[in-house]
Every structure is written in structure tokens, then in C-alpha cells.
């Protein structure tokens, strides 16, 4: 193993957005790339980086202090497939239908998605015969999108690729992105790209996990390499205004443990919705710009870590079996920060074909298909995919019916 540890690292850096001072509030130590599943027997040279997050004292953007090179995270073999969750697939079908009914009713509209993954959203757009393009650096995901009838470009979305798309396809009425925009440290280039590509009356709409929910649910595992920024309305407004856009709407979403959908337009093109000011007021009262809020968040994470490890060790000491459920990217932080090993959790079940048969990053806990879950059922299942709890528990209801129990660790360690 190679890579950095805490030793000698500064706990301050410059904001990637405004150049202000970013003050570290939490560190999770040496961490692997969250979606870099390993082939058994080929674990040498695994890459590690130091995971710490901080708050910009000027523009309030919460961000990581260290960056993993983008090609190491997002490449041909990036294993995540959005469609693995039926409820997320439904969510994106509704997003697409709403665009078709609202923004995409004019003559020959064009829609672009940044981080289109397996085409889960654009499939509905494609089926409606609307011009579209998905942009995603993962060739594997893009091939899956193409199989669903979606037009995809294997590329990173940034100023140059956006200009090339405009040249070839003309302006976009809608640019959409879900759980991708915040993954990109050089986010200014993405917004410059949006500036190149967006029609004058178009909208840039993006969905991201919402900082207020992360803080409220103590979801420390939402911090990992791919979540370079953790957005709130205030920091997003500051960000988009720097690049000549206006934040015109915000909606709260129940997905992924709490998310927000932001709508951005060229200044004056749309009348801002009252929701923007309402969110800003609520965020001020929640202390989302205050370092003390995040110092408490870090203290909460330590309590969860200690409680979870005590529970897992106690259960194992009593001879109980525990299996992990959902080889999520989030679980990289949970597993490696808490120090969960194969002695406590011998394997993790996951429905994603490209994760099965591999080893979890850092911990090297094996990943098995969902069929392994019931053969036989463990006494306890540690739900790393807690954001999909409803869907997973419904699917696995026989587990609970046969006496099995779920362990959850946000907002506190509890057993159901
Ligand atoms: P996510 O939290 O980043 O969406 O990742 C969810 C992971 O959990 C992904 O690897 C797919 C997996 N999963 C299952 O194995 N079974 C399920 O029922 C669901 C919804 C997800």
C-alpha cells in the first residue's frame, strides 16, 4: 500500500471556487478510491489519499482538501449503474417526463445530460424522439446507455467538450446533471461549458445530495472522493453567480437520504421562485455557514464509529453472523474510517454485476451477488445502502420475517 497519511498535512487550503480560506472540520484518514473495486489477487499498488473536508469561510462551499485525479475515478470500468435502484430509475423517468412537458415543448429541442451513466434519464427522452446527448467519461456506462437507445459521448464535460457539442448539435434547451456536478473539482470549467452550450432561454438543472440533510442525519459517509463538494443553496448561489448565472429555483428531493434540485438560468431569463429565499433563510437558521455546525458533525461521526464498532464486535463475540448489504461508494468511508474487517463482516452483497466477485477498496472485503444473502441468511445485515432502505427492505422482507435484523448507522447506530 502507498499513499499519504495525516503526517505533515495542512488543515487549511484555498477554496477551489473563490480562493478563500477552507478550514478543515473533519478528517477520515487514509482512504482508497471509493469505486475502485479490486480483482482478488491483484491488490498491489492500491491508491490511497487523505480524506478531509472543510468549509470555505468566504463562499461557504464545503469541499474536500485533497483531490483524486479524475481519470483514476471515472474511466471505462467505473462500476456504478444508476438503474440498479428501481426507485432511482422511477425518479429519473419522472424527471424526464417533466422536462418533456415543460422545457422541451418547442421546435426540435435539444437536451444534454452531464454524467448520463447508463442512460436511465435520457431513455425516456429518447423514446419520445427528442434530440439528446449524454456525456459521461465511462465507456462502460455509455455502452449501457447506447443499448437503451441513448446517444452518448464518452468524455468529461468541461469548456472545450461543451463548445464542441454546441458546434455539432447547436444550443441546449436543458442541461441536466444528477449526482455528478458536485463530483468535479474544476467546476468552473463545467459552468463555462454550460455558458457555451445553453440556449439563451435554457435551464441548467442539477440534483445533488443536500448538505442540510447530511448534517441533520449525521451522514458522514456521504463524504468521499467523488463527493468533492457538498452543496447547499447558499454556496450554490455564490458559485453560479461567479460564472454569470442566476439560481432561479430549488426543490427538496427525498432521494439519497435528502437531495436538492437546483435550476439555474441566464440572468433575467427566468423569474426566481420564492423557494430560493426560503431555503436561504432556513439554511441561516440551521447554521450551515458556521464552522461550529461542522465541528459537531465531526464529533457525531466519531460517536457513530465507536458505537458501530462496539455493536459489531459484541455481536461477533456472541457468535452472530453479519453481512454487509450494498457495496456503495459511501461504504468506503464507513468501512475504512471505522476499521471494519472481514472478521466482522466477511462479505458484502450487491446487485451490480461489475462489483460482484471483486474486493471492496481498502478493506478488501469480498463482494457477492444478492443470491449469497439468503444462502443462508446472516443473523444481522449491515445496510451500507441506507439511502435505499425502503427499496432494499421491501425486496428482502423474508430476511426480517425469518428473524434477521438490519443494522443502520445514520443518524445513529440502531437495529431494526
Ligand atoms: P448508491 O447508494 O450510491 O446509489 O449505491 C447503491 C449500491 O447498492 C449499488 O452498488 C447498488 C446496490 N444495491 C443493491 O445491491 N440492491 C438494491 O436493492 C439497491 C437499491 C442497490
Amino acid at each position: 500500500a502507498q499513499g499519504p497519511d495525516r503526517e505533515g498535512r495542512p488543515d487549511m487550503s484555498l477554496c477551489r471556487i473563490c480562493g478563500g480560506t477552507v478550514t478543515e472540520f473533519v478528517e477520515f484518514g487514509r482512504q482508497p478510491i471509493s469505486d475502485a473495486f479490486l480483482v482478488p489477487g491483484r491488490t498491489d499498488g492500491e491508491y490511497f489519499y487523505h480524506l478531509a473536508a472543510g468549509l470555505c469561510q468566504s463562499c461557504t462551499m464545503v469541499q474536500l482538501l485533497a483531490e483524486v485525479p479524475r481519470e483514476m475515478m471515472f474511466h471505462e470500468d467505473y462500476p456504478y449503474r444508476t438503474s440498479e435502484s428501481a426507485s432511482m430509475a422511477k425518479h429519473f423517468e419522472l424527471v424526464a417526463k417533466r422536462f418533456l412537458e415543460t422545457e422541451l415543448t418547442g421546435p426540435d429541442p435539444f437536451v444534454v445530460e452531464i454524467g448520463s451513466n447508463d442512460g436511465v434519464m435520457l431513455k425516456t427522452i429518447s423514446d419520445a424522439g427528442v434530440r439528446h446527448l449524454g456525456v459521461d467519461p465511462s465507456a462502460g456506462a455509455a455502452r449501457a446507455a447506447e443499448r437503451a437507445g441513448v446517444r452518448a459521448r464518452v468524455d468529461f464535460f468541461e469548456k472545450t467538450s461543451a463548445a464542441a457539442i454546441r458546434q455539432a448539435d447547436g444550443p441546449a434547451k436543458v442541461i441536466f446533471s444528477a449526482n455528478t456536478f458536485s463530483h468535479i473539482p474544476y467546476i468552473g470549467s463545467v459552468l463555462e461549458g454550460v455558458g457555451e452550450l445553453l440556449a439563451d432561454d435554457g435551464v441548467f438543472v442539477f440534483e445533488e445530495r443536500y448538505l442540510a440533510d447530511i448534517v441533520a442525519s449525521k451522514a458522514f459517509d456521504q463524504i468521499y472522493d467523488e463527493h468533492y463538494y457538498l452543496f447547499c443553496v447558499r454556496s450554490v448561489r455564490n458559485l453560479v453567480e461567479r460564472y454569470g448565472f442566476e439560481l432561479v429555483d430549488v426543490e427538496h428531493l427525498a432521494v439519497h437520504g435528502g437531495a436538492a434540485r437546483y435550476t439555474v438560468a441566464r440572468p433575467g431569463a427566468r423569474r426566481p421562485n420564492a423557494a430560493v429565499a426560503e431555503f436561504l433563510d432556513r439554511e441561516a437558521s440551521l447554521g450551515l455557514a458556521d464552522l461550529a455546525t461542522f465541528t459537531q458533525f465531526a464529533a457525531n461521526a466519531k460517536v457513530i464509529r465507536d458505537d458501530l464498532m462496539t455493536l459489531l464486535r459484541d455481536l461477533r463475540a456472541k457468535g452472530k453472523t453479519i453481512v454487509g448489504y450494498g457495496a456503495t461508494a459511501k461504504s468506503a468511508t464507513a468501512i475504512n474510517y471505522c476499521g471494519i474487517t472481514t472478521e466482522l463482516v466477511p462479505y458484502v452483497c450487491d446487485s451490480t454485476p461489475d462489483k460482484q466477485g471483486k474486493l471492496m477498496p481498502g478493506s478488501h472485503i469480498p463482494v457477492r451477488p444478492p443470491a449469497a444473502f439468503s444462502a443462508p441468511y446472516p443473523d444481522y445485515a449491515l445496510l451500507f445502502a441506507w439511502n435505499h432502505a425502503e427499496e432494499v427492505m421491501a425486496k428482502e422482507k423474508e430476511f426480517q420475517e425469518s428473524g434477521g435484523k438490519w443494522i443502520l448507522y445514520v443518524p445513529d447506530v440502531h437495529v431494526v
Side-chain angles (χ1 to χ4, degrees):
Q2 57 181 12
D5 54 24
R6 171 79 258 176
E7 208 89 348
R9 290 191 60 86
D11 57 7
M12 278 195 182
S13 66
L14 295 185
C15 177
R16 283 295 298 250
I17 289 160
C18 76
T21 302
V22 175
T23 307
E24 179 180 307
F25 60 81
V26 70
E27 61 133 343
F28 297 111
R30 194 169 157 278
Q31 292 284 336
I33 295 176
S34 61
D35 264 314
F37 293 82
L38 301 147
V39 174
R42 285 176 34 201
T43 57
D44 281 358
E46 186 174 14
Y47 182 88
F48 289 90
Y49 70 104
H50 186 83
L51 177 59
L55 170 74
C56 174
Q57 305 275 14
S58 302
C59 77
T60 79
M61 183 64 84
V62 171
Q63 57 200 276
L64 301 190
L65 277 84
E67 174 181 342
V68 172
R70 66 183 189 178
E71 291 80 7
M72 296 187 76
M73 294 189 283
F74 308 116
H75 45 69
E76 163 134 30
D77 299 325
Y78 182 66
Y80 185 72
R81 294 292 177 271
T82 312
S83 301
E84 289 302 322
S85 161
S87 49
M88 288 312 296
K90 185 75 201 162
H91 169 82
F92 288 120
E93 184 191 327
L94 295 178
V95 168
K97 284 190 169 149
R98 196 160 107 180
F99 282 141
L100 289 169
E101 285 163 12
T102 54
E103 301 292 337
L104 302 172
T105 53
D108 191 27
F110 176 50
V111 48
V112 171
E113 183 175 3
I114 304 171
S116 43
N117 200 272
D118 53 13
V120 63
M121 193 286 283
L122 286 178
K123 185 188 178 321
T124 303
I125 302 278
S126 169
D127 289 348
V130 169
R131 263 192 328 123
H132 63 275
L133 181 68
V135 185
D136 198 299
S138 166
R143 277 196 300 272
E146 279 163 359
R147 284 196 293 275
V150 167
R151 188 173 157 240
R153 174 185 173 118
V154 179
D155 212 342
F156 288 96
F157 187 97
E158 55 196 326
K159 195 178 179 190
T160 44
S161 50
I165 295 166
R166 167 118 193 187
Q167 188 90 36
D169 294 296
K173 199 73 209 306
V174 172
I175 300 177
F176 179 70
S177 179
N179 310 310
T180 301
F181 185 47
S182 72
H183 292 32
I184 308 174
Y186 51 94
I187 200 161
S189 178
V190 179
L191 281 166
E192 285 166 1
V194 171
E196 295 275 340
L197 183 57
L198 194 68
D200 287 346
D201 61 346
V203 282
F204 174 35
V205 179
F206 50 94
E207 299 181 2
E208 295 290 341
R209 285 153 180 85
Y210 184 40
L211 183 62
D213 292 308
I214 292 174
V215 168
S217 61
K218 309 179 192 170
F220 68 95
D221 58 347
Q222 291 286 14
I223 298 176
Y224 55 90
D225 54 353
E226 294 176 14
H227 288 178
Y228 191 84
Y229 299 107
L230 299 179
F231 287 170
C232 66
V233 176
R234 179 163 169 188
S235 60
V236 163
R237 190 186 58 161
N238 287 339
L239 166 65
V240 301
E241 285 180 357
R242 285 184 89 79
Y243 289 88
F245 293 102
E246 189 175 11
L247 178 63
V248 295
D249 200 7
V250 187
E251 291 163 83
H252 189 258
L253 307 171
V255 300
H256 287 310
R261 178 186 293 137
Y262 304 87
T263 301
V264 165
R266 297 195 190 272
R270 304 275 171 128
R271 181 206 291 266
N273 192 305
V276 177
E278 288 161 18
F279 269 88
L280 288 169
D281 282 350
R282 209 172 314 134
E283 288 182 359
S285 62
L286 290 172
L288 283 194
D290 305 338
L291 197 57
T293 304
F294 298 100
T295 311
Q296 182 60 49
F297 174 83
N300 296 341
K302 283 202 177 92
V303 171
I304 293 177
R305 176 185 65 183
D306 294 347
D307 289 353
L308 182 60
M309 292 308 281
T310 301
L311 175 67
L312 298 180
R313 286 188 186 120
D314 285 355
L315 290 173
R316 291 296 293 132
K318 288 182 192 141
K320 303 291 183 194
T321 53
I322 311 164
V323 159
Y325 204 103
T328 56
K330 293 183 286 303
S331 73
T333 298
I335 289 172
N336 294 290
Y337 168 62
C338 296
I340 298 171
T341 59
T342 48
E343 278 86 64
L344 296 172
V345 175
Y347 56 93
V348 178
C349 294
D350 194 284
S351 63
T352 313
D354 286 350
K355 295 182 182 178
Q356 294 162 5
K358 304 261 177 66
L359 305 176
M360 304 286 287
S363 65
H364 300 176
I365 299 175
V367 183
R368 298 207 183 148
F373 187 54
S374 56
Y377 282 129
D379 298 312
Y380 289 82
L382 177 51
L383 186 56
F384 292 119
W386 53 260
N387 47 320
H388 303 295
E390 211 176 309
E391 180 177 343
V392 170
M393 288 183 186
K395 188 188 287 183
E396 301 288 2
K397 82 178 175 334
E398 264 180 47
F399 167 59
Q400 265 173 316
E401 283 167 5
S402 62
K405 294 202 182 306
W406 292 100
I407 301 171
L408 289 106
Y409 53 89
V410 294
D412 295 293
V413 175
H414 59 289
V415 174
V416 292

